[in-house]
Amino acid sequence: PFGVGRIVSQRVTFPLGAVVRGGIMSGIGGGGGADGVEWPQRTTEYRNHHMDSRNWDLFKIRDDDIVVATWAKSGTTWIQQIVTQLIFKGKEGIPVAKISPWIDLRCPPWEVKEPDLEEQTNRRVVKTHLPVDGLKFYPHVKYIFIARDGRDAFWSWLNHWSQGNDFFYKLLNETPDLVGPPLTRFSDENASNVELFEKFLTKNHDGSDGDGYPLWPFFRTIRTWWEVRDLPNVHMLHFSDLKRDFDGEVRALAKFLDIQIGEDWWSNLKLHCSFDYMKSNATESTPLGGALWDDGSKTFVNKGVNGRWREVLPQELSAKYEARAVKELGEECASWLKEGRPALK
């Protein structure tokens, strides 16, 4: 129904007593547990040129694991860097890309990813780009979701996409078991950035009606995480809030993760999570050290700023995006997605 390669929608029976906010079911197919909490259950399988949600069946979860979730290009790597710095107390040289993989990425094969995860004796942090309905959800695991205005996220994706080299497309499109169409080369789109944004706003990755082109559903990802925001093991962040108040947001995140910040290593954490440091040391946090992009790891850690679309995107198309956000998410969530925490006051 959402055109993401193949999405197998299983039969969903919503339990009595599930909470509805603005017509959106926050139970997401979950059942009530002994603790009285409505925990989400997986109801959808996502498989496309990037994803295979079945990998969550292979991942051996631990009670203290941390999952970082986003749509894409929304601060994922920044949060992974922050969380690993919290875990390792500001230590330099942590190989984030190696120890914190994208679980639902279909390449490399799981047997390649698994050893790096299993050999870790530290508290682990992994990432996902799945909507909640495609995720195997655990009450004892901590989940961090970071959002970013869709215009900013897409403009960041344009750089990622346009700089992908032959190896980038080969890895995504020629790894066995591809479901659905391959990722189209940026150069083959023969379209302006504005035209591509309109496609992102109106099409699924296979060209059917929806959103998120050429990746996975954008609004569904935001909506399903917003719906579970009140669960005790979910922490919501916004890219803009992190830019505005890094200290406050990171200290709140540390409290959520039950990590005591040491003032003797706090300054090291701040240094190692700064844009300049991460840009200069991007090979540590970039998949395959940046081998998938023409300009290497510096493409993956690009600019870290918002608003690059403002001078390019026509006002009527920007308004169309905002109206679609309200329709898909509701007023409160759409406002939060646009502005972050100030919109909720």
Side-chain angles (χ1 to χ4, degrees):
F2 298 96
V4 185
R6 181 186 69 184
I7 301 182
V8 180
S9 295
Q10 304 166 355
R11 184 179 299 276
V12 180
T13 303
F14 291 105
L16 292 174
V19 180
V20 179
R21 287 198 187 92
I24 298 175
M25 184 71 73
S26 68
I28 314 182
D35 52 10
V37 177
E38 234 22 277
W39 296 108
Q41 290 185 0
R42 182 173 48 184
T43 59
T44 308
E45 183 180 286
Y46 290 84
R47 298 180 66 188
N48 53 53
H49 44 65
H50 274 76
M51 286 179 169
D52 188 343
S53 60
R54 300 176 304 169
N55 282 352
W56 283 93
D57 293 321
L58 304 174
F59 179 42
K60 298 172 185 175
I61 203 80
R62 297 177 188 170
D63 285 352
D64 63 350
D65 281 341
I66 301 165
V67 178
V68 173
T70 68
W71 175 71
K73 309 308 295 180
S74 301
T76 327
T77 304
W78 196 11
I79 293 299
Q80 287 174 284
Q81 178 78 1
I82 290 169
V83 174
T84 53
Q85 283 291 294
L86 287 169
I87 291 170
F88 290 98
K89 304 183 185 304
K91 183 179 178 181
E92 191 169 18
I94 304 300
V96 175
K98 178 180 173 65
I99 69 172
S100 182
W102 177 2
I103 298 296
D104 26 287
L105 181 64
R106 69 185 202 90
C107 51
W110 184 254
E111 56 267 23
V112 176
K113 291 182 186 178
E114 187 175 32
D116 286 337
L117 285 164
E118 288 300 308
E119 71 183 17
Q120 293 184 53
T121 58
N122 52 271
R123 190 175 182 183
R124 302 182 303 181
V125 54
V126 299
K127 77 172 178 179
T128 181
H129 290 304
L130 286 170
V132 176
D133 64 355
L135 187 65
K136 201 167 184 179
F137 199 93
Y138 298 91
H140 52 274
V141 169
K142 299 277 191 175
Y143 295 89
I144 304 163
F145 182 75
I146 182 165
R148 191 181 190 185
D149 187 293
R151 292 162 292 196
D152 290 310
F154 186 75
W155 244 254
S156 183
W157 160 251
L158 285 173
N159 176 72
H160 187 101
W161 187 16
S162 64
Q163 296 296 316
N165 57 28
D166 287 343
F167 185 34
F168 174 77
Y169 291 101
K170 181 180 178 67
L171 195 64
L172 292 172
N173 295 335
E174 297 182 25
T175 294
D177 297 323
L178 171 67
V179 172
L183 175 66
T184 305
R185 284 179 175 266
F186 181 84
S187 58
D188 291 342
E189 287 285 348
N190 194 28
S192 68
N193 289 350
V194 170
E195 290 169 328
L196 289 173
F197 179 78
E198 185 158 24
K199 205 169 180 180
F200 157 80
L201 188 57
T202 59
K203 300 295 181 184
N204 293 312
H205 93 298
D206 62 358
S208 60
D209 291 343
D211 67 82
Y213 183 91
L215 301 176
W216 40 92
F218 174 74
F219 290 116
R220 185 173 183 82
T221 302
I222 304 298
R223 183 174 66 248
T224 57
W225 282 99
W226 178 257
E227 288 168 349
V228 301
R229 67 193 183 279
D230 293 330
L231 289 179
N233 62 335
V234 173
H235 186 78
M236 304 290 281
L237 285 169
H238 195 285
F239 188 91
S240 295
D241 292 330
L242 205 53
K243 296 279 286 185
R244 273 190 293 260
D245 181 16
F246 180 87
D247 288 27
E249 293 294 330
V250 173
R251 288 184 181 277
L253 177 60
K255 183 177 181 181
F256 168 73
L257 297 174
D258 300 312
I259 295 175
Q260 181 69 41
I261 292 176
E263 296 308 317
D264 57 330
W265 50 266
W266 172 245
S267 60
N268 287 338
L269 179 150
K270 291 180 67 174
L271 171 64
H272 299 154
C273 297
S274 67
F275 178 79
D276 288 344
Y277 179 90
M278 290 185 64
K279 185 81 169 178
S280 299
N281 297 272
T283 54
E284 294 175 351
S285 56
T286 305
L288 299 178
L292 302 174
W293 295 275
D294 286 337
D295 198 24
S297 58
K298 288 181 171 57
T299 293
F300 192 76
V301 181
N302 185 32
K303 292 183 180 296
V305 298
N306 288 333
R308 287 184 289 151
W309 50 271
R310 293 185 185 279
E311 296 180 1
V312 181
L313 201 61
Q315 186 175 354
E316 60 271 20
L317 188 52
S318 184
K320 182 178 179 181
Y321 162 82
E322 293 189 7
R324 179 74 185 277
V326 171
K327 178 181 178 181
E328 295 286 346
L329 307 173
E331 290 278 1
E332 186 181 26
C333 182
S335 295
W336 174 75
L337 179 62
K338 180 180 178 181
E339 300 179 29
R341 197 179 303 282
L344 302 181
K345 294 180 180 179

